[in-house]
Amino acid sequence: MITKRIIPCLDVKDGRVVKGVNFQGLLDVSSPVSLGKFYSDNGADELVFYDITASSDGRALFTDILKEVAKTIFIPLTVGGGINTLDDFDRVLKCGADKVSVNSGAIKNPDLIYHAAKLYGDQCVVLSVDAKRVDGKFRVFAKGGRVDTGLDAIEWIKRGVDNGAGEIVLNSIDTDGVKNGFDLEMLDAVCKVVNVPVIASGGAGSIEHFITLFKTLPKVDAGLAASIFHFGEVKIKDLKEELYKNGIPMRLV
């Protein structure tokens, strides 16, 4: 049986890891280099690095810090933020990323997913989607959750997979940082329309939330979280041991 993955997320702004609630009110947490190494050494299955203001600032992703993070970790690294062209994919991969996450760049140019998947392989292309409920529908938001695109999130994700995205990260803005549990309704809707790995993001507040996630939605491949790991509320080793005890396949260190 394929093991489920536990993935810490580094939201990086001005060279520091930050964390907010519902994408607002960002607090300074730590250095991405030291935090990335800590997670790599302490049982994380993968690491996600987002330069969270690259798209809204209209600039390229900072690569100097990314190179330092990549040098210090020994687990797969997914990188996103300001990915708008194939050149951006190339630059980030050369800095040490294993996978590239595209969000606003794909909204501006949906063909980017297709061309990147053809060039680098589906497994390298991650479609990250920031979604929120609007009038009872799941809507795609861009620019770090600031702009309502009007796109239906489920249709957009299905289109992305059809174009070659090999993995989906679903960020629920409604549950982000609230710590009341993952957005099971939104995740279920996505799992029903795609056959690629789905990573749940937004809402983790306890070990029980991860158990509920994987028990309720066995098609979800991974749980991604930030603040509960950053602030030491949940240790990854303890989380994985509890999941394993509950019959959820885990890679134990």
Side-chain angles (χ1 to χ4, degrees):
M1 186 176 281
I2 296 171
T3 57
K4 302 298 185 182
R5 292 171 286 153
I6 300 301
I7 307 174
C9 177
L10 307 182
D11 291 324
V12 180
K13 180 177 187 281
D14 300 327
R16 299 285 294 175
V17 177
V18 297
K19 191 67 193 92
V21 176
N22 302 129
F23 286 32
Q24 303 292 318
L26 300 175
L27 297 174
D28 183 86
V29 177
S30 181
S31 151
V33 179
S34 59
L35 202 53
K37 184 178 189 308
F38 174 80
Y39 289 137
S40 180
D41 292 345
N42 286 275
D45 295 299
E46 296 186 17
L47 187 68
V48 169
F49 178 112
Y50 286 138
D51 185 338
I52 61 169
T53 55
S55 289
S56 58
D57 291 350
R59 59 168 171 79
L61 182 143
F62 291 129
T63 52
D64 50 349
I65 298 161
L66 173 56
K67 285 178 185 172
E68 288 300 310
V69 172
K71 269 193 266 183
T72 57
I73 69 170
F74 299 96
I75 52 177
L77 174 63
T78 298
V79 176
I83 306 295
N84 295 298
T85 65
L86 291 177
D87 284 344
D88 291 329
F89 268 82
D90 188 61
R91 186 164 47 86
V92 167
L93 290 168
K94 283 176 177 170
C95 287
D98 299 284
K99 294 183 274 190
V100 181
S101 175
V102 63
N103 188 328
S104 295
I107 294 167
K108 285 184 282 190
N109 175 18
D111 289 339
L112 178 61
I113 295 172
Y114 174 81
H115 291 300
K118 287 292 181 191
L119 192 58
Y120 300 110
D122 293 10
Q123 81 290 338
C124 181
V125 183
V126 179
L127 176 60
S128 178
V129 179
D130 299 330
K132 184 177 180 180
R133 288 165 179 78
V134 178
D135 298 328
K137 301 275 189 182
F138 301 128
R139 196 80 62 79
V140 177
F141 279 67
K143 305 285 187 186
R146 298 171 184 85
V147 178
D148 184 350
T149 66
L151 291 168
D152 178 273
I154 307 306
E155 289 302 315
W156 172 241
I157 289 167
K158 188 173 182 302
R159 181 180 174 188
V161 171
D162 289 344
N163 275 340
E167 194 165 77
I168 300 297
V169 175
L170 181 67
N171 311 299
S172 171
I173 298 172
D174 294 323
T175 60
D176 174 71
V178 179
K179 299 183 183 177
N180 285 333
F182 290 98
D183 198 326
L184 300 178
E185 180 191 21
M186 193 184 290
L187 286 159
D188 185 45
V190 171
C191 287
K192 282 175 177 169
V193 299
V194 300
N195 58 0
V196 300
V198 174
I199 298 171
S201 172
S206 67
I207 288 175
E208 288 69 30
H209 290 155
F210 284 89
I211 295 171
T212 301
L213 169 70
F214 293 125
K215 290 268 193 186
T216 307
L217 299 174
K219 286 182 74 175
V220 169
D221 288 80
L224 181 149
S227 55
I228 61 163
F229 298 144
H230 297 343
F231 300 120
E233 296 163 44
V234 171
K235 290 183 171 61
I236 290 175
K237 183 173 179 291
D238 296 343
L239 168 61
K240 294 177 85 170
E241 286 175 355
E242 280 302 312
L243 287 166
Y244 186 77
K245 284 180 196 169
N246 279 271
I248 297 158
M250 282 281 127
R251 179 184 70 88
L252 298 176
V253 178

